[in-house]
Amino acid sequence: MAKILIIEDEQAIQRMIEYDLSQIGYEVDSALDGFEGYKKASTKHYDIVLLDLMLPNMDGMEICKKLREEGNDVYIIMLTALDDEYNVIKGFDVGADDYIKKPFSPRELLARIKAGLRRQGLMKNDDILYYNDLKLVQSSYEVYRNDEKIDLTLKEFELLLYLLKNKGKALSRDQLLTNLWGFSYDGDSRVVDVHIFKLRDKIDPDANHIKTVRGIGYKLV
Ligand code: CA
């Protein structure tokens, strides 16, 4: 399940969010102080950070800016009571991914969180996975782009799914062979290259997403 960090100094709001999200099954961590929140976000892994703006010791803008400067690309949703364009623009400026205006309903917040997870391809509990403009339906082995079905063979589908589930990792040809063709396969490892080329041709003709890792294999970015 997704891990979410709440950085919010108003305890009533923090408790409400924490309660709602843990009821659904998300793993929730909280900080009531800006500096403490920054430390948590910079040292632990979270899928989403909910970040209040006005915080003691370090404000939300500063936290967001510092995390980005450190190369931390965690998905940040700003919680803002300040209903003005300036703060929204400034928030995006310092690297926030999304924002939600207080007061918000639990449903609204959940929708933003789900959108954030989808954008990262992290809706693991769902049958449906998203990657950029692609939609993968695991149970039916189908891939769509803007509701248009892309015709993949079973092996191409499995390859894409495997790459997506291991997004960001360099995967060797041997690893792909073992996981997708099985130990018993004793053919040429170039079968992997052939399938990658076919897959690229169908979904990624410019090879912007399925990258070749020289001397190793491939990785989805
Ligand atoms: Ca506050």
Side-chain angles (χ1 to χ4, degrees):
M1 249 306 177
K3 284 181 88 171
I4 298 172
L5 174 64
I6 307 164
I7 309 178
E8 165 65 82
D9 62 321
E10 276 164 77
Q11 210 156 23
I13 298 178
Q14 175 267 327
R15 279 200 189 135
M16 182 198 83
I17 301 175
E18 184 166 329
Y19 177 80
D20 287 338
L21 296 182
S22 40
Q23 285 295 87
I24 299 163
Y26 291 117
E27 213 179 299
V28 183
D29 200 358
S30 290
L32 293 162
D33 166 283
F35 187 65
E36 187 201 338
Y38 159 71
K39 274 201 302 193
K40 282 190 172 177
S42 72
T43 53
K44 295 184 189 173
H45 168 79
Y46 298 99
D47 299 304
I48 305 255
V49 173
L50 302 176
L51 180 60
D52 187 30
L53 281 188
M54 312 282 251
L55 292 162
N57 294 321
M58 198 169 176
D59 72 42
M61 294 287 182
E62 207 183 329
I63 293 173
C64 188
K65 192 165 170 245
K66 238 175 125 63
L67 289 172
R68 295 308 189 227
E69 280 168 3
E70 290 165 7
N72 189 323
D73 65 352
V74 63
Y75 194 93
I76 296 175
I77 302 174
M78 282 190 167
L79 312 177
T80 172
L82 306 168
D83 185 12
D84 67 345
E85 234 173 80
Y86 172 78
N87 272 293
V88 170
I89 292 168
K90 197 179 166 207
F92 284 125
D93 234 30
V94 294
D97 295 284
D98 200 0
Y99 75 97
I100 186 164
K101 277 179 208 160
K102 288 179 185 173
F104 48 79
S105 68
R107 238 179 99 189
E108 236 180 307
L109 179 65
L110 194 63
R112 297 301 179 89
I113 288 173
K114 282 187 172 168
L117 295 174
R118 263 200 303 276
R119 280 192 216 161
Q120 303 175 75
L122 283 174
M123 292 285 280
K124 284 184 188 121
N125 272 12
D126 261 339
D127 181 35
I128 296 171
L129 294 172
Y130 293 87
Y131 174 68
N132 291 328
D133 57 350
L134 295 179
K135 180 170 113 179
L136 281 77
V137 186
Q138 300 191 65
S139 55
S140 60
Y141 301 92
E142 286 170 331
V143 177
Y144 295 86
R145 173 176 277 143
N146 305 324
D147 290 328
E148 207 172 300
K149 197 174 152 189
I150 300 171
D151 198 22
L152 297 186
T153 65
L154 178 60
K155 211 43 113 186
E156 287 161 1
F157 181 88
E158 287 176 344
L159 180 58
L160 177 61
L161 188 61
Y162 191 78
L163 287 168
L164 183 56
K165 286 186 170 171
N166 291 282
K167 201 174 90 182
K169 290 182 203 156
L171 303 167
S172 70
R173 287 179 178 79
D174 277 350
Q175 193 176 346
L176 290 166
L177 266 183
T178 305
N179 282 286
L180 298 167
W181 278 265
F183 286 104
S184 57
Y185 180 83
D186 59 358
D188 199 317
S189 78
R190 270 176 300 185
V191 70
V192 174
D193 301 327
V194 171
H195 279 79
I196 290 278
F197 288 139
K198 284 187 190 161
L199 187 58
R200 271 186 185 146
D201 191 43
K202 290 179 183 177
I203 64 158
D204 183 27
D206 301 322
N208 286 327
H209 304 297
I210 305 170
K211 299 282 187 193
T212 303
V213 184
R214 206 181 287 179
I216 297 173
Y218 299 95
K219 120 177 147 177
L220 189 73
V221 293

